[in-house]
Amino acid sequence: MSSNINLKSINKLAIPATIAGIAEPLLSITDTAIVGNISEYSLESLAAAGIVGSFLSMLIWILGQTRSAISAIISQYVGANKIDKIQSLPAQAIFLNISVSIIVLLSTIFIVEEIFVLMNATGKVLELCISYYSIRVWGFPLTLFVFAVMGIFRGLQNTYYPMLIAITGAVLNIILDVILVYGVEGYISPLYLEGAAWASLIAQGVMAIMAFILLITKTDISLKLRFPMHPELGRLVIMSLNLFVRALALNAAMILAVREATALGDRFIGAHTIAINLWLFSAFFIDGYAAAGNIMGGKLLGARNYDGLWLLAKKIMKYGLIVSLGLVVLGFIFYYPIGRIFSNDTSVLKTFYSIFFILILSMPLNMVAFVFDGLFKGLGEMKYLRNVLLIASFIGFIPLLFLGKYLGWGIYGIWAAFTLWMLIRGGALVWKFRRKFRPLLQNV
């Protein structure tokens, strides 16, 4: 099986996963770029889009962890040639996911103002946050359903259909953004920031319908809820809970960064919104190889092919490094044009350009963390991933963030904290992988 671990086999999974991954942050990037250039309240709208986008990303990342858990379990069963043993698990996992998402939706919709006040939103920015979130939040269960279906496809070693779903959603979102935000003279009045929210919600609905149709027509997986509960549901829940705690720590860091940027002023949260969206965009771009590691790693572990697993780690690191260095070069070549895509406000752009180099130079470091993060999820090492993120966030990121605030580093302190965060995450995962799997190799 090791002989099948080559550029072609990895790219067959990684390239569609990369395209699908890019489409996810592209939804937020599109909102940021279009909202940042509207004629009315552009600076306040950009700030609101960043604050709400960060909060929604937190909810999705926290509750969307069943995607990784179900992908890991299914891929391991595929590797062990026992896929027929888990036919009832996917429907149970999806039902659990959507039920929790509805509870969270209903628990936040009545305290929207309080949530964004805690994130330092005031005045017009707070008003825009409330109207934007009140529309976008209804797409939350739809997104979690799509995530769960994508996890099923990944477990089945298929990244092609998730790519189609993601591309459809991204393209539709861009088209609707332009139409609804700016309006069509004589036909549709401009809705500004609310138009961006409606565009995202409609795109999420179409993606959910598409995911449902592809799953029932292209696989043998049934969405009919059957009892008793599958024995693996307990493991899936435990894995998801570990990732849930991990995502809480991850998003505590992200939300604190947004809060500190917001406290610095509108131009700083505007610049941070652009930077974090580009950071996420590059993360998902590199994440294609992390997805390949996730999918193939679980299958190799299920087959107990440790030599193949070691080779896979080396290959995806190599290809991920090439991609990340390519992004570094492109970032410096298009340093100034990239900023002007997202805003026409001089103060926002000046602030963004002052930190953009940090984001660019950190891409290879981020690649190591993202690639091994995906690999460990495929191996089912959720507990270790949880512990690493807790250490990186509460011993690395948060102390440096507040030290930077105390020393007056401003927005530089926020991005210095991000760099340390990724250094700890990547280093801990490489160390653990070598320590655990090197002794199991037959051909060192």
Side-chain angles (χ1 to χ4, degrees), residues 190-213:
L191 296 175
Y192 304 114
L193 186 61
E194 287 191 358
W198 281 111
S200 296
L201 179 58
I202 294 168
Q204 289 165 328
V206 171
M207 290 170 70
I209 293 169
M210 192 173 176
F212 175 79
I213 292 172

Side-chain angles (χ1 to χ4, degrees), residues 146-164:
V146 172
F147 272 28
V149 173
M150 286 182 171
I152 294 169
F153 276 120
R154 283 188 174 192
L156 295 172
Q157 315 294 291
N158 184 324
T159 56
Y160 178 71
Y161 291 131
M163 178 190 71
L164 291 182

Side-chain angles (χ1 to χ4, degrees), residues 210-390:
M210 192 173 176
F212 175 79
I213 292 172
L214 285 172
L215 188 66
I216 62 175
T217 59
K218 301 297 183 180
T219 74
D220 294 327
I221 300 294
S222 172
L223 289 181
K224 182 179 179 181
L225 189 62
R226 289 179 289 176
F227 295 96
M229 291 298 180
H230 193 280
E232 286 285 12
L233 188 64
R235 183 160 76 109
L236 185 143
V237 169
I238 291 172
M239 290 168 70
S240 298
L241 285 174
N242 279 322
L243 289 175
F244 177 89
V245 173
R246 175 181 181 273
L248 281 174
L250 187 152
N251 282 283
M254 300 287 281
I255 293 296
L256 279 173
V258 170
R259 189 175 186 277
E260 291 307 309
T262 304
L264 291 172
D266 286 353
R267 68 184 178 95
F268 291 97
I269 184 57
H272 181 73
T273 297
I274 297 171
I276 201 66
N277 274 293
L278 288 170
W279 188 86
L280 290 170
F281 179 83
S282 66
F284 281 105
F285 200 101
I286 297 167
D287 202 46
Y289 288 100
N294 179 312
I295 296 162
M296 298 177 74
K299 184 177 179 181
L300 290 165
L301 182 67
R304 300 185 183 276
N305 185 349
Y306 303 117
D307 285 355
L309 188 57
W310 187 265
L311 178 61
L312 173 67
K314 290 172 63 176
K315 293 281 188 181
I316 58 175
M317 274 285 288
K318 176 183 175 181
Y319 304 143
L321 179 61
I322 293 170
V323 171
S324 65
L325 291 176
L327 290 174
V328 169
V329 172
L330 289 173
F332 280 117
I333 290 174
F334 298 103
Y335 199 90
Y336 293 100
I338 288 172
R340 289 192 290 270
I341 293 172
F342 298 98
S343 180
N344 53 18
D345 188 285
T346 305
S347 62
V348 170
L349 289 175
K350 183 179 179 181
T351 306
F352 167 69
Y353 292 140
S354 71
I355 58 165
F356 190 25
F357 75 95
I358 301 175
L359 187 157
I360 295 172
L361 292 175
S362 68
M363 286 181 184
L365 175 65
N366 296 347
M367 178 276 299
V368 176
F370 294 140
V371 163
F372 273 89
D373 190 82
L375 184 59
F376 269 64
K377 286 178 181 177
L379 301 177
E381 292 279 351
M382 313 309 189
K383 182 179 178 180
Y384 186 74
L385 286 171
R386 178 202 68 193
N387 293 340
V388 167
L389 214 294
L390 289 171

Side-chain angles (χ1 to χ4, degrees), residues 9-48:
S9 63
I10 291 173
N11 277 342
K12 184 178 179 181
L13 295 172
I15 291 175
T18 297
I19 296 171
I22 291 171
E24 291 176 23
L26 193 60
L27 294 175
S28 294
I29 282 181
T30 302
D31 285 355
T32 302
I34 292 178
V35 165
N37 287 283
I38 62 179
S39 58
E40 183 175 304
Y41 298 114
S42 62
L43 185 57
E44 293 86 351
S45 296
L46 182 62

